[in-house]
Amino acid sequence: MTDPNLDSGRDEEPLVGDGVTAGVVRVGDTVRRPVRPFTATIHAYLRHLHGAGFSDAPIPLGFDDQGREVLSFVPGDVPREPLPAGASGEDVLVELARLVRRLHDAAQSWTPPADATWGGIPGARIVNSTADGEPLVVSHRDYCPGNVVFRDGLPAALIDFDLAKPTTRVDDLANALYYWAPLLHPADRSPAFADLDIPGRVAVFADSYGMSLAQRRALVPAATRMIHRFHVNMRAAAEVDPVFKRMWDEGVKDRLPRAETWIEREGPAITARLVA
Ligand SMILES: Nc1ncnc2c1ncn2[C@@H]1O[C@H](COP(=O)(O)OP(=O)(O)O)[C@@H](O)[C@H]1O
Ligand SMILES: [Mg+2]
């Protein structure tokens, strides 16, 4: 393994994604990020993924002399909102679904350590909206554009596993679809996504993942619970954290209630297409 300290003192290039984590920098072929209570758990998870054959994620390289976590830099392009028209093609959904399927299959064989610590958004009121009794898998849970690395115009790798924790496959798929179908009112989508056939896109994603009939039936209820949880938790986070306060004021406060109304109305059409 490379000694992370060999790079210290070299030029640091600030990396600003969605502005949630302050102090993310690139140093050569590595990324340095502040250590959080869940960092060791996530490094163990990433090591498992690579060992199980999923290599489209950062490699954990330890800690540097400033106490920061060191990860491999994943080459490619990370899209930003508003997403470009090229990101609205069905080929993007196909590749994302295959990527998440490979992640789930590699993650399935990992049992987190007894002292595992997980991340979450600040002040969260609802920590879990997973249906009772479902089998759990540790997965990414945050497929926002800033966490997906593209190559040649298609999703190729995932970064930023800060919100990874035990979830169900369906809940995790609902998260990916929230950002990429997307499961939003047309007024809240990137312009290139405003007029798309969302039930058709969800079905393309489901086919590419290989979703079972039971998973297809569970998707809309899972997405509905997730959007409600986002709404409650983002409101709570805005009360305790200035970064989340800014996101809330700049649009989340309108987008999430609109998304709740939208999924209530459009959910049946999505389910009908999924189980057809
Ligand atoms: N391992 C990595 N490889 C390549 N780019 C990265 C990596 N980690 C972070 N970045 C870049 O930095 C941005 C912000 O980092 P991220 O870990 O997503 O932090 P945040 O918690 O703020 O979303 C990302 O959107 C991406 O552009
Ligand atoms: Mg991120």
Side-chain angles (χ1 to χ4, degrees):
M1 190 165 79
T2 3
D3 177 357
N5 292 317
L6 290 178
D7 280 331
S8 65
R10 285 171 55 183
D11 283 351
E12 301 203 346
E13 175 196 333
L15 294 173
V16 183
D18 305 304
V20 175
T21 309
V24 182
V25 298
R26 178 178 179 177
V27 183
D29 291 335
T30 71
V31 170
R32 315 295 169 105
R33 300 169 89 252
V35 167
R36 267 76 54 79
F38 50 81
T39 302
T41 301
I42 298 305
H43 282 200
Y45 176 58
L46 290 171
R47 275 194 294 276
H48 169 86
L49 291 179
H50 284 276
F54 184 85
S55 52
D56 298 316
I59 301 168
L61 298 170
F63 301 90
D64 71 7
D65 51 9
Q66 296 182 36
R68 299 176 296 190
E69 67 164 327
V70 183
L71 301 160
S72 63
F73 180 83
V74 179
D77 307 306
V78 178
R80 305 285 170 210
E81 305 274 7
L83 289 170
S88 67
E90 288 188 350
D91 51 350
V92 169
L93 287 170
V94 168
E95 280 314 311
L96 183 66
R98 290 178 179 159
L99 187 61
V100 176
R101 178 64 193 244
R102 290 193 293 105
L103 172 70
H104 286 175
D105 289 348
Q108 196 68 69
S109 51
W110 193 57
T111 305
D115 61 352
T117 302
W118 309 110
I121 70 165
R125 300 254 160 89
I126 308 177
V127 291
N128 200 350
S129 52
T130 295
D132 284 343
E134 294 293 317
L136 298 180
V137 61
V138 175
S139 195
H140 188 285
R141 300 178 64 252
D142 188 17
Y143 299 95
C144 64
N147 293 341
V148 182
V149 180
F150 279 60
R151 286 183 216 121
D152 299 323
L154 294 173
L158 301 167
I159 55 173
D160 185 359
F161 284 71
D162 287 0
L163 293 187
K165 71 172 207 183
T167 182
T168 65
R169 290 185 180 228
V170 170
D171 284 351
D172 201 47
L173 296 172
N175 183 281
L177 284 164
Y178 172 77
Y179 289 105
W180 294 96
L183 304 180
L184 288 170
H185 186 281
D188 296 312
R189 301 178 202 155
S190 299
F193 289 69
D195 297 325
L196 299 177
D197 164 24
I198 302 300
R201 287 170 59 79
V202 173
V204 165
F205 183 92
D207 290 347
S208 305
Y209 179 88
M211 282 179 80
S212 67
L213 184 58
Q215 288 171 332
R216 287 164 187 261
R217 290 205 174 107
L219 182 76
V220 166
T224 305
R225 287 192 306 271
M226 177 193 68
I227 293 168
H228 176 68
R229 172 169 57 87
F230 281 175
H231 187 185
V232 170
N233 285 351
M234 289 298 284
R235 182 195 296 277
E239 284 166 16
V240 298
D241 186 297
V243 172
F244 284 86
K245 166 97 170 82
R246 183 170 47 75
M247 289 195 265
W248 178 257
D249 291 342
E250 286 177 357
V252 168
K253 68 177 177 6
D254 301 317
R255 189 184 315 141
L256 283 171
R258 270 199 294 260
E260 283 188 276
T261 309
W262 180 86
I263 193 87
E264 289 289 344
R265 199 178 62 229
E266 300 298 323
I270 295 173
T271 300
R273 186 75 73 89
L274 274 175
V275 304

